[in-house]
Amino acid sequence: IDMQKWKYKVLEFSPTRSLMATRMDKKHIENELNELGKQGWEVVSSFITTDAHGSTKKIIYTLKKEFGA
């Protein structure tokens, strides 16, 4: 039996902070994920980390791609 083999990639995105607000650059994240999707990478999980006040510190994505693809 020939089992599929996978390679994995982890991406971390942090918000941009300014005096007035903290925000995620959604367009940048979308562009990054779309570019990796074109290369055969697939998002298999995502989660956020927060600070003590509940503000988003990071968004972390795990992607996989068939080994050799």
Side-chain angles (χ1 to χ4, degrees):
I1 298 175
D2 191 20
M3 302 262 311
Q4 283 183 305
K5 294 179 176 63
W6 304 98
K7 51 186 167 180
Y8 295 89
K9 181 183 291 278
V10 176
L11 299 179
E12 293 184 11
F13 295 98
S14 299
T16 304
R17 301 185 191 283
S18 68
L19 293 175
M20 301 300 285
T22 299
R23 67 178 203 77
M24 282 290 179
D25 186 346
K26 293 177 187 174
K27 194 66 175 166
H28 171 71
I29 295 170
E30 186 177 277
N31 288 341
E32 191 81 23
L33 292 174
N34 281 332
E35 185 59 38
L36 289 166
K38 289 176 190 175
Q39 297 172 26
W41 291 96
E42 176 183 0
V43 173
V44 293
S45 72
S46 66
F47 64 94
I48 62 169
T49 61
T50 58
D51 63 18
H53 304 289
S55 296
T56 299
K57 287 179 64 175
K58 291 182 183 177
I59 300 176
I60 301 172
Y61 292 91
T62 303
L63 299 91
K64 74 174 184 179
K65 178 179 177 180
E66 190 170 0
F67 196 77

